[in-house]
Amino acid sequence: MNIEKLSELSVVEQSVLYAALLSHVKFGDGYGLINKDRGNSAYLFGVSGDVSDAELGDSPERNTLYKSMKALSRTAFEYGEFAPEDMVADWKKFCILVTRYAKH
């Protein structure tokens, strides 16, 4: 499915899909991240808003997990029961979420 078509899903479908992606970010194996590495420089620098794709290997333009969560985020939060810190409104928020759940 194209990311642009996610808005064609019902509100309930968007919320369920967002919950699944959020759970994957929190508890998954890192699939959708560069080398499945939550500690990758792209995400560590992204926490401060840096999107240096060429040097860091990932960016908002390349990351499908990020683009999917961002596309679903607004509807999911309007109708779902998500904590404000779980909203992916931009790359920085995505990186904060990714690094927060890194296994230390």
Side-chain angles (χ1 to χ4, degrees):
M1 172 178 278
N2 291 331
I3 291 172
E4 295 80 28
K5 292 189 177 192
L6 290 173
S7 63
E8 296 175 11
L9 298 172
S10 73
V11 170
V12 172
E13 290 168 328
Q14 289 184 52
S15 293
V16 168
L17 185 53
Y18 191 84
L21 293 173
L22 181 61
S23 181
H24 171 70
V25 168
K26 289 181 174 183
F27 308 111
D29 65 356
Y31 184 83
L33 305 176
I34 296 299
N35 299 322
K36 298 184 178 183
D37 181 9
R38 295 169 187 274
N40 183 284
S41 298
Y43 313 117
L44 297 175
F45 283 101
V47 167
S48 65
D50 189 341
V51 293
S52 304
D53 176 52
E55 295 177 25
L56 303 175
D58 203 356
S59 71
E61 292 79 27
R62 292 181 56 186
N63 191 291
T64 302
L65 178 59
Y66 161 73
K67 289 190 284 188
S68 299
M69 292 183 78
K70 183 177 179 192
L72 295 164
S73 188
R74 178 177 302 260
T75 300
F77 278 83
E78 287 177 6
Y79 299 98
E81 296 180 11
F82 299 96
E85 63 270 12
D86 290 337
M87 183 174 184
V88 174
D90 55 36
W91 180 249
K92 180 177 179 176
K93 293 282 286 182
F94 177 75
C95 291
I96 290 169
L97 189 63
V98 165
T99 58
R100 179 183 306 139
Y101 293 99
K103 293 177 177 74
H104 300 290

